[in-house]
Amino acid sequence: MTESAGAGRDAEAVSRFVESFAAQLVEAGMQRMAARVFAALLASDEGVMTSAELGEQLRISPAAVSGAVRYLAQTHMVSREREPGSRRERYRVHGDQWYEALTNREAVLKRWEGALREGVTSLGAQTPAGRRMTETLAFFEFLDGEVSAMMERWRLHREKTFGA
């Protein structure tokens, strides 16, 4: 039995959950292997697995695990850490991974806003394309403010619900 199934847990039920949740993540736009690796880590009791454990549980190659983890680390969904006294890496999912991932998206929104401002200037604000660009920029500016406010509310809610 793999670590993610844990003692007293139905390994088949865990596997079904992992594949089902991964399919939902793929439908939302995440890469397939990254979604499977993330779901496996999320479903593991420790929230930590090695490449070998992930490969065995998901029946995927070390290269597939490596590519998935690279993507997940770039999007702040998992972190890499060394096993104490070993050269092997472990991959960890954190309780606040969604917060971190969304916070990372805020930086992307800021870059898009800058690019859109340039677009408005280049195209001319009164042209049809410039007006479209202006509306798109306004949407991202609105979204940025809403996400920032929502993240602050989440921090307060999380502290109240789960402690500091």
Side-chain angles (χ1 to χ4, degrees):
M1 181 183 305
T2 63
E3 183 276 332
S4 66
R9 287 173 46 187
D10 179 352
E12 193 59 39
V14 171
S15 181
R16 281 192 307 273
F17 164 76
V18 166
E19 296 304 327
S20 173
F21 188 56
Q24 294 297 314
L25 293 171
V26 168
E27 196 171 301
M30 187 181 280
Q31 298 172 0
R32 183 172 183 270
M33 281 302 150
R36 293 181 72 214
V37 166
F38 179 75
L41 285 166
L42 193 63
S44 71
D45 283 338
E46 298 295 320
V48 178
M49 297 175 79
T50 65
S51 179
E53 290 167 337
L54 286 163
E56 179 183 333
Q57 178 180 335
L58 299 173
R59 294 183 179 97
I60 59 176
S61 71
V65 172
S66 178
V69 168
R70 184 173 35 259
Y71 170 84
L72 291 167
Q74 288 171 346
T75 58
H76 304 280
M77 298 293 285
V78 302
S79 61
R80 299 172 191 250
E81 52 189 50
R82 292 269 183 211
E83 285 187 3
S86 171
R87 295 181 62 207
R88 289 181 14 175
E89 285 189 327
R90 301 183 304 184
Y91 309 110
R92 177 179 300 277
V93 67
H94 299 277
D96 64 349
Q97 75 276 350
W98 297 110
Y99 174 84
E100 289 299 322
L102 196 52
T103 299
N104 185 50
R105 294 289 182 239
E106 280 185 282
V108 171
L109 287 177
K110 288 290 189 196
R111 289 195 307 270
W112 288 356
E113 287 173 24
L116 288 165
R117 275 189 201 88
E118 285 181 32
V120 170
T121 300
S122 298
L123 298 167
Q126 299 311 312
T127 66
R131 284 192 296 275
R132 236 184 352 266
M133 240 7 116
T134 300
E135 185 175 345
T136 302
L137 173 59
F139 171 76
F140 283 121
E141 289 171 337
F142 174 82
L143 190 61
D144 185 37
E146 291 297 307
V147 168
S148 294
M150 180 182 63
M151 296 305 274
E152 181 56 31
R153 287 191 311 273
W154 167 248
R155 278 190 289 276
L156 296 171
H157 175 76
R158 184 173 186 236
E159 269 184 38
K160 189 170 106 180
T161 305
F162 300 105

